[in-house]
């Protein structure tokens, strides 16, 4: 699971790049306190890069970004 902080002015976190679905799949997401929590399930072994962008609506412009590397054994 990834916990990303809420941001003001209608900005929301979105998955920015395609994730290797043979390694990880997104299960759910929700608001928990002052964070947005995105939950993923491991499907197989390998490495997956997960990138998030903070956007306003469905635009391409990212105001902030976070990137994680997940290793599943």
């Amino acid at each position: 699971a990834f916990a990303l902080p809420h941001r003001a002015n209608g900005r929301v976190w979105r998955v920015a790049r395609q994730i290797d679905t043979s390694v990880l799949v997104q299960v759910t997401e929700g608001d928990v306190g002052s964070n947005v929590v995105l939950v993923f399930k491991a499907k197989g072994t390998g490495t997956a890069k997960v990138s998030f962008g903070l956007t306003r609506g469905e635009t391409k412009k990212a105001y902030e970004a976070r990137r994680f590397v997940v290793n599943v054994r």
Side-chain angles (χ1 to χ4, degrees):
F2 301 95
L4 303 168
H6 278 288
R7 296 291 190 233
N9 301 324
R11 295 178 181 170
V12 294
W13 290 103
R14 305 220 182 264
V15 175
R17 305 222 184 270
Q18 189 171 8
I19 300 168
D20 185 351
T21 55
S22 66
V23 179
L24 286 179
V25 291
Q26 186 174 351
V27 177
T28 189
E29 66 179 80
D31 296 326
V32 179
S34 62
N35 293 310
V36 177
V37 177
L38 296 103
V39 180
F40 289 80
K41 180 179 180 179
K43 293 262 313 210
T45 60
T47 301
K49 295 176 184 173
V50 184
S51 299
F52 300 103
L54 185 67
T55 66
R56 179 176 287 156
E58 296 290 332
T59 62
K60 289 184 178 183
K61 179 178 179 172
Y63 296 93
E64 192 175 333
R66 302 281 169 94
R67 184 175 175 186
F68 303 93
V69 177
V70 179
N71 294 310
V72 179
R73 296 185 202 185

